[in-house]
Amino acid sequence: MNGRNAPAGRSYDAVIVGAGPNGLAAAITLAKAGRSVLLVEAKRAVGGGARTAALTLPGFWHDVCSAVHPLGVASPFFRAQPLDQFGLEWIFPRFSLAHPLDGGEAVVIGPSTAASAATMGVDGPAYRRLMSPLAVDWQKILADILGPFPLPPRHPVATARFGLLALLPASLLVRIFFRGEKARAVFAGMAAHSMLPLDLPATSAVGLMLGLLAHAVGWPFARGGSQSIVDAMSRYLRSLGGEIVTELPVSALEQLPLARSTLLSVTPRQLLSIAGERLPAPYRRTLERFRYGPGVFKLDYALDGPVPWQAEACRHAGTVHLGGDFEEIRAAEEAVWQGRLPEQPFVLVSQPSLFDPTRAPAGKHTLWAYCHVPAGSTADMTAAVEAQIERFAPGFRSRILERHTCTAREMERYNANYIGGDINGGAQMLSQIFTRPAPRLDPYATPVKGLYICSASTPPGGGVHGMCGYNAARSALKRGG
């Protein structure tokens, strides 16, 4: 259903604002529980951070934000839904990740810890000792950490093993476990997904999580693009009786139909604007102190052939991390956190068309790349990003047919939840992991009865996993909504 107005004269058990993966997950969870559900989206199509568009040339399909989905395939919410029956198909590259080094070598992650360790030289045995137990216990670990932290943990041994390591700064973890540069470099790249300086506590958490998921389930693409995920979720929601209205921006709760529960997939800044004076003053002050993270500069390419990587392993990996050794990545992330543009940015690259022929015309390819920049940056980082790609793939520039750029400021205009270009819904610092957006026993419930927040600004944070929406919906159901 499209239109500028919500259904007149109707009331619902639940109204959800924001039709990204979390809003859709909340709507599905409530609809499966037999509740009447209306999902409202400001854009013309559902998607949020999981949209796919023709950004460059006809026939080339690019993921606008999220592209690779280890948490999507591993998430307890997604694993419980029959989305394959509604058109979702996962594609698994041979390697989840390749991290090239100067000189033509590359470190590989996935599918097994043994295969990965074999590319790490002297640190291979240490890597296996670190990651193998975590990969074995991945379902127990995810059950405890993809939501508000349960006390006591349901799986205390597995969760403690992960948690004690995850609390370490990435810079300290690599000093403890690794002696050579290969393992240090590849772990730095995975930890840098946190968009935090690698000397901060808990930056090991993201690196460990991405590593264990690579070994346990892989880092897949959705066939046809990330839009396929939310399209399948939308079809499933409608099959459950849920309603979807698009092109309806919401700036105040009064715009919405009557509902027993209202769930907002927004960040604290929009929650303050939409709910206004209904929120108690102490809660408002806490939301005003919520800290957002750095932004991203994004590039999408239409290419006339595959990227000419020096390292053969990179040609078989869905994701490639470009940043050289540990110290180079560490310096780049520190510069961004301090508000400076890095001269040699850490660049994340995804090459879906190597594995999914629906993304580009025959013989052609797409490439997805981004780097971290200070929040709100309007800088064009094209030259710096391409220099990093060319460094490990000489001749890359000659393959470019067309490029599309998106600064951090433009990323926020694309999605109002990306404050300053922050795609994680807030800085994922130790102080904002389980207590986002405010320290509460139930972080999804606001002090206003029947009003909830279900965006990536709640635990477990950013990523296409649906768990923020799922957890918020469960909170609403528990409270009688």
Side-chain angles (χ1 to χ4, degrees):
M1 182 186 301
N2 298 320
R4 292 289 178 183
N5 299 302
R10 291 285 305 277
S11 63
Y12 296 85
D13 292 319
V15 172
I16 298 97
V17 175
N22 283 315
L24 281 159
I28 288 170
T29 302
L30 291 162
K32 287 178 70 174
R35 305 306 194 263
S36 59
V37 172
L38 173 67
L39 180 60
V40 175
E41 168 58 39
K43 299 288 187 178
R44 181 173 297 180
V46 302
R51 291 192 177 101
T52 304
L55 299 177
T56 55
L57 299 174
F60 292 84
W61 293 97
H62 307 273
D63 290 325
V64 180
C65 185
S66 64
V68 184
H69 302 288
L71 278 171
V73 73
S75 152
F77 169 78
F78 275 106
R79 291 173 68 83
Q81 315 309 320
L83 297 183
D84 58 323
Q85 300 175 26
F86 294 86
L88 177 59
E89 179 184 351
W90 296 114
I91 295 176
F92 295 86
R94 177 182 173 188
F95 302 132
S96 293
L97 167 67
H99 187 117
L101 300 168
D102 293 313
E105 289 187 280
V107 185
V108 164
I109 297 293
S112 70
T113 55
S116 302
T119 67
M120 297 183 192
V122 66
D123 287 319
Y127 182 84
R128 292 185 69 178
R129 288 194 299 272
L130 172 66
M131 296 304 305
S132 293
L134 303 180
V136 169
D137 286 337
W138 72 274
Q139 293 190 67
K140 296 177 181 178
I141 294 168
L142 263 62
D144 275 348
I145 69 172
L146 290 187
F149 193 72
L151 293 173
R154 290 179 287 271
H155 307 284
V157 175
T159 301
R161 181 188 291 121
F162 175 86
L164 292 174
L165 294 168
L167 289 173
L168 297 175
S171 58
L172 177 58
L173 184 142
V174 299
R175 287 201 301 272
I176 293 172
F177 280 91
F178 306 132
R179 291 179 292 148
E181 190 48 53
K182 293 179 179 179
R184 291 186 176 201
V186 74
F187 190 82
M190 292 191 292
H193 281 252
S194 66
M195 299 175 67
L196 298 171
L198 301 187
D199 294 323
L200 286 186
T203 43
S204 289
V206 173
L208 292 168
M209 177 59 66
L210 289 176
L212 74 86
L213 289 174
H215 303 310
V217 297
W219 294 8
F221 302 105
R223 182 178 293 278
S226 297
Q227 187 78 44
S228 300
I229 302 172
V230 291
D231 286 348
M233 296 175 78
S234 299
R235 287 190 283 268
Y236 182 37
L237 174 61
R238 289 190 171 103
S239 78
L240 297 168
E243 300 177 35
I244 301 175
V245 173
T246 59
E247 297 184 87
L248 181 60
V250 175
S251 57
L253 293 176
E254 290 73 18
Q255 291 177 255
L256 301 171
L258 291 175
R260 295 166 66 189
S261 298
T262 301
L263 293 83
L264 305 180
S265 186
V266 300
T267 79
R269 185 174 299 182
Q270 292 101 313
L271 178 58
L272 285 165
S273 175
I274 292 171
E277 296 301 315
R278 296 195 191 190
L279 300 171
Y283 186 72
R284 290 202 308 270
R285 287 194 292 270
T286 301
L287 296 184
E288 288 165 355
R289 293 192 295 268
F290 186 79
R291 182 163 184 176
Y292 294 92
V296 300
F297 174 82
K298 173 88 171 351
L299 275 160
D300 290 284
Y301 293 96
L303 305 176
D304 70 358
V307 178
W309 300 109
Q310 277 185 316
E312 178 64 24
C314 295
R315 306 179 188 209
H316 304 283
T319 301
V320 181
H321 286 169
L322 306 179
D325 62 19
F326 180 91
E327 289 303 327
E328 183 181 323
I329 297 171
R330 179 187 194 176
E333 297 305 290
E334 179 67 28
V336 171
W337 190 251
Q338 293 178 357
R340 296 181 285 112
L341 294 172
E343 294 182 11
Q344 289 185 298
F346 170 60
V347 178
L348 299 93
V349 172
S350 168
Q351 40 189 10
S353 59
L354 286 180
F355 313 95
D356 180 3
T358 69
R359 305 294 189 96
K364 311 299 182 184
H365 287 275
T366 62
L367 196 73
W368 171 105
Y370 78 87
C371 68
H372 303 149
V373 293
S377 172
T378 59
D380 186 332
M381 296 289 287
T382 300
V385 169
E386 291 183 1
Q388 288 287 63
I389 302 176
E390 191 81 18
R391 171 182 170 187
F392 299 103
F396 165 73
R397 290 190 182 93
S398 67
R399 300 281 173 92
I400 299 172
L401 298 173
E402 186 64 80
R403 65 171 65 83
H404 175 271
T405 66
C406 185
T407 67
R409 183 75 58 168
E410 290 166 338
M411 190 66 80
E412 181 177 347
R413 286 199 289 269
Y414 157 75
N415 188 330
N417 279 3
Y418 296 163
I419 305 297
D422 175 7
I423 59 176
N424 283 325
Q428 302 203 126
M429 304 177 297
L430 181 59
S431 60
Q432 287 191 171
I433 295 179
F434 295 111
T435 60
R436 55 201 291 137
R440 291 172 62 82
L441 290 176
D442 183 349
Y444 311 98
T446 76
V448 178
K449 183 179 179 180
L451 181 63
Y452 303 84
I453 179 170
C454 64
S455 70
S457 298
T458 63
V464 177
H465 43 65
M467 292 301 294
C468 304
Y470 169 69
N471 292 328
R474 291 181 65 195
S475 174
L477 290 168
K478 182 178 179 180
R479 291 168 180 263

